[in-house]
Amino acid sequence: MTWTMPAEFSPQERVWMAFPRVGNTLGDDAASADLARDTWAAVANAAAGFEPVTMVVDPSAVAEARKRLSNEIELVEAPLDDYWMRDIGPTFVVDEDGALGAVDWTFNGWGANAWATWERDNRIAQTVAALAGAEHLPSPLVNEGGGIHVDGEGTVLLTETVQLDPRRNPYATKERVEWELRRTIGATRCIWLPRGLTRDYESAGTRGHVDMVATFAAPGRVLLHWQNDPSHPDHRVVREVREVLEQATDAAGRRLEIIELPAPQTLRDEDGFVDWNYANHLVVNGGVIACGYGEPEADERAAAILGEIYGRDVVTIDARPILQRGGGIHCITQQQPTSVTP
Amino acid sequence: MTWTMPAEFSPQERVWMAFPRVGNTLGDDAASADLARDTWAAVANAAAGFEPVTMVVDPSAVAEARKRLSNEIELVEAPLDDYWMRDIGPTFVVDEDGALGAVDWTFNGWGANAWATWERDNRIAQTVAALAGAEHLPSPLVNEGGGIHVDGEGTVLLTETVQLDPRRNPYATKERVEWELRRTIGATRCIWLPRGLTRDYESAGTRGHVDMVATFAAPGRVLLHWQNDPSHPDHRVVREVREVLEQATDAAGRRLEIIELPAPQTLRDEDGFVDWNYANHLVVNGGVIACGYGEPEADERAAAILGEIYGRDVVTIDARPILQRGGGIHCITQQQPTSVTP
């Protein structure tokens, strides 16, 4: 049996999300929590305009979820710590016959962050796998969905600071990570980026998820977050990443075409340099759900690039309440590809 | 594809070993190193009386190996750190059609011991797999061959202090370990022993390998190291282990018959309480290679029990130079089961 992870731009069955419950990292401020929940719901409602959406909801948050979500969105109750479905949900794969599998990575709060809890979230992938009718494929590798991006043809983008993080996989080597990614998601070419964005790396974040900086728009085509202001530390980071991408070849032996996604103008918030980016979007059937930052010019430029590259309708949602908590629209969603199973 | 690890008492193709090189944990004392090498060779030569033996030898130690080993033993050169083939070699498995697989556990010096190095040893399983013509089955789980004993029917004996060791698999859970053992060696029932022997646990050893305390002699039949002297801390340990075994059922739903293997009389050496035991033997085709401790009465009693239980010829070898370094005859050998592949 060979499992392959289809690219995000391939046909999808459904999008999975997790609704924020009170407590944990949602924060105690009621207005801020409300705004966050509105944003999660806005992403779900937008995605539901393109394909089915299932929202996993902690039992304590069902009423809050129901009143915000359109009726067509399916609600499923399960205990949750947080709400980053990209990272806690399974990575869906298909076999040669198109049957559905669900890779259940070991999840440990993005490298055992002191602020994180993960006992419930480490179990949610198995729940989603069962609900999706997918074969459960557990992996001892500590990893998250946001730590990998694929072209669907065997190429994987990942960062050294995530899979080789001593607080995730202290005894892993590149070779052993690559073996496990070959087994689980059919990776035949791993392109190791040196790191991710600065805030995501430094502020007890994910230590550098690839989905905050680059993604495949098609085989051979990479969308890369681009910071043109030299006063922002990511100015240097994206150039390092670009250099690696320029040297790389993919699983098919191709050089990569790199398309830049210029950052919004905002450089800092009250916590320091922001990691606002347009790379962290969700691709759905016929659409793209893109992050907005309340900057009409930059938001529209990004939407135009994404619309052009994917040839799909772009819906932009103000994602600042998500970014404020450490991720983007891609981080709170997980697509299930079309398969013969469900 | 379903892989199953055959029991050690099943028909074998070959025994693999690794010859000690100068340096690392062999020690600097020439006479002691010589004696150790004589002992490794004696085990190999004894096993070769029953079935083929391949000795992996560091390039620096070829002459020393050659002069001690009988001509029928195959020598293979490969870089080595140490010489515990049970732990660094692959765990051989077979699929439904009898094809051979080789599980390549992640090896990290038995929980990243300060005295250990493992860069070469972490690669040796892949070398052995290739030489054996086995399918290479890498696992991200940090584990060693000495950390598991199977009945060949889905039951595994293992210890909580090894697979759940925070210096081996800091983010593992029992459930995730069991999932990985099901995938790799076909485990359908894991019997978790609370720990292993005292010295093996306390002196920066393996933190409690099951193969120092108990093994399957047949499905439903466990041989258990037994310490009857209450002044030895293992007096309590083996009773704890016995209690768990008495409560357990195996993969087929059977209760386990427990056969005690009384310890030798020696309780201490210059480093403290010893972990001398007769459970750490190697089963070969028609034979058992058993540890001796220079105690004729105890050694003969153990040989008689092993001969009776297995119905095979028992060859006893003075294993004190092995025990002095932290393991026994089982720890320095790795059997390859009969399969249709090679």
Side-chain angles (χ1 to χ4, degrees):
Chain A
M1 187 108 59
T2 304
W3 295 104
T4 306
M5 179 182 174
E8 194 167 321
F9 47 76
S10 297
Q12 298 177 12
E13 183 77 20
R14 170 179 302 277
V15 169
W16 293 83
M17 294 181 64
F19 195 78
R21 68 171 175 87
V22 170
N24 219 358
T25 58
L26 184 62
D28 290 332
D29 180 74
S32 168
D34 263 358
L35 183 60
R37 288 169 148 181
D38 290 347
T39 305
W40 258 251
V43 170
N45 292 335
F50 297 93
E51 65 189 60
V53 174
T54 300
M55 183 70 79
V56 179
V57 187
D58 189 83
S60 68
V62 171
E64 290 292 327
R66 183 71 70 191
K67 76 179 180 199
R68 289 178 175 84
L69 297 172
S70 69
N71 283 333
E72 62 208 337
I73 294 178
E74 186 188 16
L75 257 67
V76 172
E77 287 186 48
L80 290 169
D81 291 299
D82 280 305
Y83 35 65
W84 305 101
M85 185 54 92
R86 175 68 51 187
D87 296 338
I88 64 177
T91 293
F92 287 103
V93 292
V94 294
D95 73 5
E96 306 89 326
D97 303 320
L100 190 68
V103 180
D104 177 0
W105 311 108
T106 301
F107 178 73
N108 79 343
W110 307 273
N113 279 300
W115 49 263
T117 62
W118 57 84
E119 200 185 317
R120 302 171 188 180
D121 281 354
N122 189 22
R123 297 174 179 277
I124 208 69
Q126 191 182 16
T127 304
V128 171
L131 291 167
E135 182 171 343
H136 181 226
L137 303 168
S139 170
L141 189 73
V142 178
N143 189 34
E144 305 95 33
I148 47 173
H149 252 315
V150 302
D151 69 353
E153 300 187 355
T155 316
V156 184
L157 301 178
L158 67 178
T159 54
E160 296 184 7
T161 50
V162 169
Q163 285 82 16
L164 300 179
D165 178 2
R167 292 170 63 174
R168 281 186 174 90
N169 301 296
Y171 307 110
T173 59
K174 272 191 185 180
E175 192 176 29
R176 286 190 174 271
V177 170
E178 292 183 1
W179 287 339
E180 184 66 353
L181 294 182
R182 178 185 280 258
R183 174 179 86 82
T184 50
I185 63 169
T188 55
R189 173 66 55 88
C190 291
I191 300 176
W192 289 90
L193 307 182
R195 53 167 296 176
L197 297 188
T198 302
R199 174 182 281 195
D200 183 37
Y201 182 74
E202 287 177 353
S203 315
T206 73
R207 288 192 250 293
H209 267 185
V210 67
D211 75 344
M212 293 290 270
V213 63
T215 185
F216 281 107
R221 272 195 147 176
V222 173
L223 284 160
L224 175 63
H225 171 62
W226 199 249
Q227 178 53 261
N228 249 329
D229 191 315
S231 71
H232 193 297
D234 288 337
H235 182 268
R236 192 174 58 80
V237 171
V238 298
R239 281 159 182 79
E240 279 179 45
V241 170
R242 186 176 175 116
E243 219 168 288
V244 172
L245 290 171
E246 281 172 353
Q247 298 301 317
T249 52
D250 68 11
R254 281 179 294 243
R255 292 283 180 181
L256 300 171
E257 178 192 358
I258 300 163
I259 297 113
E260 294 173 4
L261 274 174
Q265 286 214 309
T266 303
L267 296 181
R268 310 178 64 108
D269 64 10
E270 55 193 9
D271 295 325
F273 288 106
V274 297
D275 52 4
W276 294 5
N277 71 85
Y278 297 104
N280 199 273
H281 52 271
L282 172 70
V283 184
V284 290
N285 296 334
V288 176
I289 318 295
C291 295
Y293 298 97
E295 295 187 19
E297 196 184 328
D299 290 355
E300 280 161 29
R301 180 179 53 196
I305 296 173
L306 294 172
E308 166 74 18
I309 291 288
Y310 285 108
R312 306 184 191 210
D313 295 337
V314 178
V315 180
T316 298
I317 292 169
D318 190 328
R320 286 175 291 181
I322 313 176
L323 272 285
Q324 184 192 336
R325 289 169 174 82
I329 288 174
H330 193 256
C331 306
I332 66 170
T333 52
Q334 180 65 263
Q335 75 282 354
Q336 174 185 334
T338 301
S339 67
V340 301
T341 306
Chain B
M1 185 109 59
T2 304
W3 295 105
T4 306
M5 179 183 174
E8 194 166 321
F9 47 77
S10 298
Q12 298 177 11
E13 182 78 20
R14 172 180 302 277
V15 168
W16 294 83
M17 294 181 64
F19 196 77
R21 70 171 174 89
V22 170
N24 219 356
T25 59
L26 184 62
D28 291 331
D29 180 76
S32 168
D34 264 358
L35 183 60
R37 289 168 147 183
D38 290 346
T39 304
W40 258 252
V43 170
N45 292 335
F50 296 94
E51 65 189 61
V53 174
T54 300
M55 183 71 78
V56 179
V57 187
D58 189 84
S60 67
V62 172
E64 291 291 327
R66 182 72 70 190
K67 75 180 183 200
R68 287 178 175 85
L69 296 172
S70 68
N71 284 332
E72 64 207 336
I73 294 178
E74 186 188 16
L75 258 66
V76 172
E77 288 186 48
L80 290 169
D81 291 298
D82 280 304
Y83 35 63
W84 305 101
M85 185 54 93
R86 175 67 50 188
D87 296 338
I88 64 177
T91 293
F92 286 103
V93 291
V94 294
D95 73 5
E96 306 89 328
D97 303 320
L100 190 68
V103 180
D104 178 359
W105 311 108
T106 302
F107 178 73
N108 79 342
W110 306 274
N113 279 300
W115 49 264
T117 61
W118 57 83
E119 200 186 318
R120 302 170 188 183
D121 281 355
N122 190 21
R123 296 172 180 278
I124 210 68
Q126 191 182 16
T127 304
V128 171
L131 291 166
E135 182 170 345
H136 182 225
L137 304 168
S139 170
L141 189 73
V142 178
N143 188 34
E144 306 96 34
I148 47 172
H149 253 315
V150 301
D151 69 353
E153 300 187 355
T155 316
V156 183
L157 301 178
L158 68 177
T159 53
E160 296 183 8
T161 49
V162 169
Q163 285 81 15
L164 300 179
D165 178 3
R167 294 170 63 174
R168 281 185 173 91
N169 301 297
Y171 307 110
T173 60
K174 272 192 186 180
E175 192 176 30
R176 287 192 174 270
V177 170
E178 293 183 1
W179 286 339
E180 184 66 353
L181 294 181
R182 178 185 278 256
R183 174 181 87 83
T184 51
I185 64 169
T188 55
R189 172 65 56 89
C190 290
I191 300 177
W192 290 90
L193 307 181
R195 52 167 298 175
L197 298 187
T198 302
R199 175 181 283 195
D200 182 36
Y201 182 74
E202 287 177 355
S203 315
T206 73
R207 288 193 249 292
H209 267 184
V210 68
D211 75 344
M212 292 291 270
V213 64
T215 185
F216 281 107
R221 271 195 146 176
V222 172
L223 284 159
L224 175 63
H225 171 61
W226 199 248
Q227 178 53 260
N228 249 328
D229 191 314
S231 71
H232 193 299
D234 287 337
H235 182 267
R236 192 174 60 82
V237 171
V238 298
R239 281 161 181 78
E240 278 179 46
V241 170
R242 184 173 177 118
E243 220 167 288
V244 172
L245 290 171
E246 281 173 352
Q247 298 302 316
T249 50
D250 67 12
R254 279 179 296 244
R255 291 285 180 179
L256 300 171
E257 178 193 359
I258 300 163
I259 298 114
E260 294 173 4
L261 273 174
Q265 286 216 308
T266 303
L267 296 180
R268 310 180 61 108
D269 64 10
E270 54 193 9
D271 295 325
F273 288 104
V274 296
D275 53 3
W276 296 3
N277 71 84
Y278 297 104
N280 199 274
H281 52 271
L282 171 70
V283 184
V284 289
N285 295 335
V288 176
I289 319 294
C291 295
Y293 298 97
E295 296 187 17
E297 197 185 327
D299 289 355
E300 279 161 30
R301 180 179 54 197
I305 296 172
L306 294 172
E308 166 74 17
I309 292 290
Y310 285 108
R312 305 185 192 210
D313 296 336
V314 178
V315 180
T316 299
I317 291 169
D318 190 328
R320 286 174 291 181
I322 313 176
L323 273 286
Q324 186 193 335
R325 289 170 174 80
I329 288 174
H330 192 256
C331 306
I332 66 169
T333 53
Q334 180 65 263
Q335 75 282 351
Q336 174 186 335
T338 300
S339 68
V340 300
T341 306

PDB file of all heavy atoms in Angstrom, chain B residues 35-63:
ATOM      1  N   LEU B  35      39.392 -10.727  26.784  1.00  0.00           N
ATOM      2  CA  LEU B  35      38.456 -11.698  27.345  1.00  0.00           C
ATOM      3  C   LEU B  35      37.042 -11.471  26.799  1.00  0.00           C
ATOM      4  O   LEU B  35      36.318 -12.427  26.476  1.00  0.00           O
ATOM      5  CB  LEU B  35      38.459 -11.574  28.882  1.00  0.00           C
ATOM      6  CG  LEU B  35      37.582 -12.582  29.626  1.00  0.00           C
ATOM      7  CD1 LEU B  35      38.013 -14.012  29.337  1.00  0.00           C
ATOM      8  CD2 LEU B  35      37.627 -12.306  31.130  1.00  0.00           C
ATOM      9  N   ALA B  36      36.671 -10.207  26.662  1.00  0.00           N
ATOM     10  CA  ALA B  36      35.347  -9.900  26.104  1.00  0.00           C
ATOM     11  C   ALA B  36      35.248 -10.427  24.681  1.00  0.00           C
ATOM     12  O   ALA B  36      34.277 -11.087  24.297  1.00  0.00           O
ATOM     13  CB  ALA B  36      35.095  -8.396  26.137  1.00  0.00           C
ATOM     14  N   ARG B  37      36.285 -10.168  23.893  1.00  0.00           N
ATOM     15  CA  ARG B  37      36.253 -10.628  22.504  1.00  0.00           C
ATOM     16  C   ARG B  37      36.227 -12.149  22.424  1.00  0.00           C
ATOM     17  O   ARG B  37      35.552 -12.720  21.551  1.00  0.00           O
ATOM     18  CB  ARG B  37      37.453 -10.060  21.761  1.00  0.00           C
ATOM     19  CG  ARG B  37      37.283  -8.563  21.539  1.00  0.00           C
ATOM     20  CD  ARG B  37      38.570  -7.934  21.062  1.00  0.00           C
ATOM     21  NE  ARG B  37      38.278  -6.817  20.162  1.00  0.00           N
ATOM     22  CZ  ARG B  37      39.204  -6.103  19.546  1.00  0.00           C
ATOM     23  NH1 ARG B  37      40.484  -6.385  19.695  1.00  0.00           N
ATOM     24  NH2 ARG B  37      38.867  -5.111  18.756  1.00  0.00           N
ATOM     25  N   ASP B  38      36.952 -12.791  23.335  1.00  0.00           N
ATOM     26  CA  ASP B  38      36.893 -14.255  23.374  1.00  0.00           C
ATOM     27  C   ASP B  38      35.458 -14.719  23.646  1.00  0.00           C
ATOM     28  O   ASP B  38      34.995 -15.712  23.077  1.00  0.00           O
ATOM     29  CB  ASP B  38      37.813 -14.808  24.476  1.00  0.00           C
ATOM     30  CG  ASP B  38      39.296 -14.622  24.146  1.00  0.00           C
ATOM     31  OD1 ASP B  38      39.619 -14.314  22.970  1.00  0.00           O
ATOM     32  OD2 ASP B  38      40.123 -14.771  25.072  1.00  0.00           O
ATOM     33  N   THR B  39      34.786 -13.993  24.515  1.00  0.00           N
ATOM     34  CA  THR B  39      33.426 -14.393  24.889  1.00  0.00           C
ATOM     35  C   THR B  39      32.455 -14.179  23.729  1.00  0.00           C
ATOM     36  O   THR B  39      31.624 -15.045  23.428  1.00  0.00           O
ATOM     37  CB  THR B  39      32.964 -13.597  26.128  1.00  0.00           C
ATOM     38  OG1 THR B  39      33.921 -13.798  27.175  1.00  0.00           O
ATOM     39  CG2 THR B  39      31.596 -14.057  26.593  1.00  0.00           C
ATOM     40  N   TRP B  40      32.548 -13.012  23.063  1.00  0.00           N
ATOM     41  CA  TRP B  40      31.707 -12.773  21.881  1.00  0.00           C
ATOM     42  C   TRP B  40      31.920 -13.899  20.860  1.00  0.00           C
ATOM     43  O   TRP B  40      30.965 -14.430  20.294  1.00  0.00           O
ATOM     44  CB  TRP B  40      32.045 -11.422  21.254  1.00  0.00           C
ATOM     45  CG  TRP B  40      31.072 -10.321  21.564  1.00  0.00           C
ATOM     46  CD1 TRP B  40      30.173  -9.767  20.689  1.00  0.00           C
ATOM     47  CD2 TRP B  40      30.890  -9.635  22.820  1.00  0.00           C
ATOM     48  NE1 TRP B  40      29.444  -8.790  21.329  1.00  0.00           N
ATOM     49  CE2 TRP B  40      29.864  -8.676  22.623  1.00  0.00           C
ATOM     50  CE3 TRP B  40      31.487  -9.725  24.082  1.00  0.00           C
ATOM     51  CZ2 TRP B  40      29.431  -7.820  23.641  1.00  0.00           C
ATOM     52  CZ3 TRP B  40      31.061  -8.884  25.085  1.00  0.00           C
ATOM     53  CH2 TRP B  40      30.047  -7.956  24.872  1.00  0.00           C
ATOM     54  N   ALA B  41      33.215 -14.238  20.660  1.00  0.00           N
ATOM     55  CA  ALA B  41      33.533 -15.283  19.684  1.00  0.00           C
ATOM     56  C   ALA B  41      32.988 -16.636  20.135  1.00  0.00           C
ATOM     57  O   ALA B  41      32.499 -17.430  19.313  1.00  0.00           O
ATOM     58  CB  ALA B  41      35.042 -15.354  19.476  1.00  0.00           C
ATOM     59  N   ALA B  42      33.050 -16.908  21.433  1.00  0.00           N
ATOM     60  CA  ALA B  42      32.548 -18.196  21.928  1.00  0.00           C
ATOM     61  C   ALA B  42      31.046 -18.324  21.679  1.00  0.00           C
ATOM     62  O   ALA B  42      30.552 -19.400  21.308  1.00  0.00           O
ATOM     63  CB  ALA B  42      32.850 -18.330  23.422  1.00  0.00           C
ATOM     64  N   VAL B  43      30.326 -17.228  21.856  1.00  0.00           N
ATOM     65  CA  VAL B  43      28.887 -17.251  21.583  1.00  0.00           C
ATOM     66  C   VAL B  43      28.644 -17.502  20.099  1.00  0.00           C
ATOM     67  O   VAL B  43      27.809 -18.334  19.708  1.00  0.00           O
ATOM     68  CB  VAL B  43      28.224 -15.931  22.036  1.00  0.00           C
ATOM     69  CG1 VAL B  43      26.773 -15.845  21.544  1.00  0.00           C
ATOM     70  CG2 VAL B  43      28.282 -15.800  23.559  1.00  0.00           C
ATOM     71  N   ALA B  44      29.387 -16.795  19.250  1.00  0.00           N
ATOM     72  CA  ALA B  44      29.224 -16.971  17.805  1.00  0.00           C
ATOM     73  C   ALA B  44      29.565 -18.401  17.390  1.00  0.00           C
ATOM     74  O   ALA B  44      28.827 -19.034  16.618  1.00  0.00           O
ATOM     75  CB  ALA B  44      30.115 -15.973  17.063  1.00  0.00           C
ATOM     76  N   ASN B  45      30.673 -18.907  17.896  1.00  0.00           N
ATOM     77  CA  ASN B  45      31.093 -20.259  17.518  1.00  0.00           C
ATOM     78  C   ASN B  45      30.081 -21.297  18.003  1.00  0.00           C
ATOM     79  O   ASN B  45      29.812 -22.281  17.305  1.00  0.00           O
ATOM     80  CB  ASN B  45      32.492 -20.555  18.070  1.00  0.00           C
ATOM     81  CG  ASN B  45      33.566 -19.705  17.381  1.00  0.00           C
ATOM     82  OD1 ASN B  45      33.375 -19.258  16.239  1.00  0.00           O
ATOM     83  ND2 ASN B  45      34.673 -19.450  18.074  1.00  0.00           N
ATOM     84  N   ALA B  46      29.508 -21.064  19.182  1.00  0.00           N
ATOM     85  CA  ALA B  46      28.498 -21.996  19.693  1.00  0.00           C
ATOM     86  C   ALA B  46      27.238 -21.954  18.825  1.00  0.00           C
ATOM     87  O   ALA B  46      26.697 -23.001  18.438  1.00  0.00           O
ATOM     88  CB  ALA B  46      28.152 -21.655  21.141  1.00  0.00           C
ATOM     89  N   ALA B  47      26.785 -20.751  18.485  1.00  0.00           N
ATOM     90  CA  ALA B  47      25.579 -20.631  17.656  1.00  0.00           C
ATOM     91  C   ALA B  47      25.809 -21.260  16.287  1.00  0.00           C
ATOM     92  O   ALA B  47      24.905 -21.867  15.698  1.00  0.00           O
ATOM     93  CB  ALA B  47      25.180 -19.158  17.511  1.00  0.00           C
ATOM     94  N   ALA B  48      27.052 -21.122  15.776  1.00  0.00           N
ATOM     95  CA  ALA B  48      27.371 -21.666  14.455  1.00  0.00           C
ATOM     96  C   ALA B  48      27.279 -23.192  14.441  1.00  0.00           C
ATOM     97  O   ALA B  48      27.224 -23.801  13.373  1.00  0.00           O
ATOM     98  CB  ALA B  48      28.762 -21.203  14.023  1.00  0.00           C
ATOM     99  N   GLY B  49      27.293 -23.806  15.614  1.00  0.00           N
ATOM    100  CA  GLY B  49      27.061 -25.241  15.673  1.00  0.00           C
ATOM    101  C   GLY B  49      25.617 -25.617  15.358  1.00  0.00           C
ATOM    102  O   GLY B  49      25.316 -26.793  15.121  1.00  0.00           O
ATOM    103  N   PHE B  50      24.739 -24.638  15.338  1.00  0.00           N
ATOM    104  CA  PHE B  50      23.317 -24.906  15.101  1.00  0.00           C
ATOM    105  C   PHE B  50      22.802 -24.305  13.797  1.00  0.00           C
ATOM    106  O   PHE B  50      21.882 -24.836  13.189  1.00  0.00           O
ATOM    107  CB  PHE B  50      22.486 -24.355  16.264  1.00  0.00           C
ATOM    108  CG  PHE B  50      22.767 -25.014  17.588  1.00  0.00           C
ATOM    109  CD1 PHE B  50      23.691 -24.470  18.475  1.00  0.00           C
ATOM    110  CD2 PHE B  50      22.120 -26.194  17.939  1.00  0.00           C
ATOM    111  CE1 PHE B  50      23.953 -25.074  19.702  1.00  0.00           C
ATOM    112  CE2 PHE B  50      22.383 -26.811  19.163  1.00  0.00           C
ATOM    113  CZ  PHE B  50      23.307 -26.260  20.048  1.00  0.00           C
ATOM    114  N   GLU B  51      23.359 -23.160  13.399  1.00  0.00           N
ATOM    115  CA  GLU B  51      22.848 -22.479  12.207  1.00  0.00           C
ATOM    116  C   GLU B  51      23.871 -21.443  11.754  1.00  0.00           C
ATOM    117  O   GLU B  51      24.822 -21.131  12.482  1.00  0.00           O
ATOM    118  CB  GLU B  51      21.499 -21.814  12.516  1.00  0.00           C
ATOM    119  CG  GLU B  51      21.558 -20.693  13.545  1.00  0.00           C
ATOM    120  CD  GLU B  51      20.158 -20.219  13.970  1.00  0.00           C
ATOM    121  OE1 GLU B  51      19.398 -21.044  14.507  1.00  0.00           O
ATOM    122  OE2 GLU B  51      19.863 -19.029  13.766  1.00  0.00           O
ATOM    123  N   PRO B  52      23.699 -20.873  10.562  1.00  0.00           N
ATOM    124  CA  PRO B  52      24.654 -19.873  10.078  1.00  0.00           C
ATOM    125  C   PRO B  52      24.728 -18.648  10.984  1.00  0.00           C
ATOM    126  O   PRO B  52      23.729 -18.254  11.592  1.00  0.00           O
ATOM    127  CB  PRO B  52      24.102 -19.489   8.700  1.00  0.00           C
ATOM    128  CG  PRO B  52      23.286 -20.664   8.277  1.00  0.00           C
ATOM    129  CD  PRO B  52      22.691 -21.219   9.538  1.00  0.00           C
ATOM    130  N   VAL B  53      25.909 -18.058  11.058  1.00  0.00           N
ATOM    131  CA  VAL B  53      26.129 -16.859  11.858  1.00  0.00           C
ATOM    132  C   VAL B  53      26.864 -15.834  11.000  1.00  0.00           C
ATOM    133  O   VAL B  53      27.814 -16.185  10.292  1.00  0.00           O
ATOM    134  CB  VAL B  53      26.970 -17.172  13.117  1.00  0.00           C
ATOM    135  CG1 VAL B  53      27.319 -15.888  13.876  1.00  0.00           C
ATOM    136  CG2 VAL B  53      26.244 -18.156  14.025  1.00  0.00           C
ATOM    137  N   THR B  54      26.400 -14.592  11.038  1.00  0.00           N
ATOM    138  CA  THR B  54      27.130 -13.498  10.392  1.00  0.00           C
ATOM    139  C   THR B  54      27.579 -12.524  11.466  1.00  0.00           C
ATOM    140  O   THR B  54      26.777 -12.102  12.305  1.00  0.00           O
ATOM    141  CB  THR B  54      26.253 -12.753   9.365  1.00  0.00           C
ATOM    142  OG1 THR B  54      25.834 -13.665   8.359  1.00  0.00           O
ATOM    143  CG2 THR B  54      27.041 -11.617   8.709  1.00  0.00           C
ATOM    144  N   MET B  55      28.866 -12.178  11.432  1.00  0.00           N
ATOM    145  CA  MET B  55      29.428 -11.234  12.392  1.00  0.00           C
ATOM    146  C   MET B  55      29.721  -9.926  11.678  1.00  0.00           C
ATOM    147  O   MET B  55      30.505  -9.892  10.725  1.00  0.00           O
ATOM    148  CB  MET B  55      30.718 -11.812  12.981  1.00  0.00           C
ATOM    149  CG  MET B  55      31.374 -10.958  14.051  1.00  0.00           C
ATOM    150  SD  MET B  55      30.445 -10.912  15.620  1.00  0.00           S
ATOM    151  CE  MET B  55      30.915 -12.510  16.337  1.00  0.00           C
ATOM    152  N   VAL B  56      29.090  -8.843  12.124  1.00  0.00           N
ATOM    153  CA  VAL B  56      29.427  -7.518  11.615  1.00  0.00           C
ATOM    154  C   VAL B  56      30.636  -7.033  12.399  1.00  0.00           C
ATOM    155  O   VAL B  56      30.660  -7.115  13.637  1.00  0.00           O
ATOM    156  CB  VAL B  56      28.242  -6.540  11.772  1.00  0.00           C
ATOM    157  CG1 VAL B  56      28.618  -5.148  11.265  1.00  0.00           C
ATOM    158  CG2 VAL B  56      27.014  -7.068  11.036  1.00  0.00           C
ATOM    159  N   VAL B  57      31.653  -6.552  11.676  1.00  0.00           N
ATOM    160  CA  VAL B  57      32.918  -6.191  12.316  1.00  0.00           C
ATOM    161  C   VAL B  57      33.328  -4.799  11.864  1.00  0.00           C
ATOM    162  O   VAL B  57      33.314  -4.502  10.666  1.00  0.00           O
ATOM    163  CB  VAL B  57      34.029  -7.198  11.955  1.00  0.00           C
ATOM    164  CG1 VAL B  57      35.293  -6.922  12.762  1.00  0.00           C
ATOM    165  CG2 VAL B  57      33.565  -8.636  12.163  1.00  0.00           C
ATOM    166  N   ASP B  58      33.665  -3.959  12.826  1.00  0.00           N
ATOM    167  CA  ASP B  58      34.239  -2.655  12.480  1.00  0.00           C
ATOM    168  C   ASP B  58      35.542  -2.894  11.732  1.00  0.00           C
ATOM    169  O   ASP B  58      36.304  -3.801  12.086  1.00  0.00           O
ATOM    170  CB  ASP B  58      34.486  -1.855  13.762  1.00  0.00           C
ATOM    171  CG  ASP B  58      34.876  -0.421  13.471  1.00  0.00           C
ATOM    172  OD1 ASP B  58      33.972   0.409  13.267  1.00  0.00           O
ATOM    173  OD2 ASP B  58      36.091  -0.132  13.437  1.00  0.00           O
ATOM    174  N   PRO B  59      35.814  -2.078  10.703  1.00  0.00           N
ATOM    175  CA  PRO B  59      37.045  -2.308   9.922  1.00  0.00           C
ATOM    176  C   PRO B  59      38.297  -2.414  10.798  1.00  0.00           C
ATOM    177  O   PRO B  59      39.231  -3.147  10.454  1.00  0.00           O
ATOM    178  CB  PRO B  59      37.098  -1.087   8.997  1.00  0.00           C
ATOM    179  CG  PRO B  59      35.669  -0.684   8.829  1.00  0.00           C
ATOM    180  CD  PRO B  59      34.986  -1.007  10.124  1.00  0.00           C
ATOM    181  N   SER B  60      38.298  -1.723  11.931  1.00  0.00           N
ATOM    182  CA  SER B  60      39.485  -1.736  12.795  1.00  0.00           C
ATOM    183  C   SER B  60      39.672  -3.057  13.534  1.00  0.00           C
ATOM    184  O   SER B  60      40.721  -3.294  14.130  1.00  0.00           O
ATOM    185  CB  SER B  60      39.379  -0.604  13.827  1.00  0.00           C
ATOM    186  OG  SER B  60      38.315  -0.869  14.734  1.00  0.00           O
ATOM    187  N   ALA B  61      38.673  -3.906  13.526  1.00  0.00           N
ATOM    188  CA  ALA B  61      38.721  -5.104  14.371  1.00  0.00           C
ATOM    189  C   ALA B  61      38.704  -6.407  13.583  1.00  0.00           C
ATOM    190  O   ALA B  61      38.546  -7.483  14.168  1.00  0.00           O
ATOM    191  CB  ALA B  61      37.544  -5.076  15.355  1.00  0.00           C
ATOM    192  N   VAL B  62      38.915  -6.320  12.283  1.00  0.00           N
ATOM    193  CA  VAL B  62      38.765  -7.522  11.453  1.00  0.00           C
ATOM    194  C   VAL B  62      39.749  -8.618  11.842  1.00  0.00           C
ATOM    195  O   VAL B  62      39.373  -9.789  11.981  1.00  0.00           O
ATOM    196  CB  VAL B  62      38.909  -7.162   9.958  1.00  0.00           C
ATOM    197  CG1 VAL B  62      38.961  -8.414   9.108  1.00  0.00           C
ATOM    198  CG2 VAL B  62      37.747  -6.276   9.524  1.00  0.00           C
ATOM    199  N   ALA B  63      41.018  -8.247  12.039  1.00  0.00           N
ATOM    200  CA  ALA B  63      42.020  -9.271  12.366  1.00  0.00           C
ATOM    201  C   ALA B  63      41.685  -9.952  13.694  1.00  0.00           C
ATOM    202  O   ALA B  63      41.774 -11.184  13.812  1.00  0.00           O
ATOM    203  CB  ALA B  63      43.411  -8.633  12.426  1.00  0.00           C
TER     204      ALA B  63
END
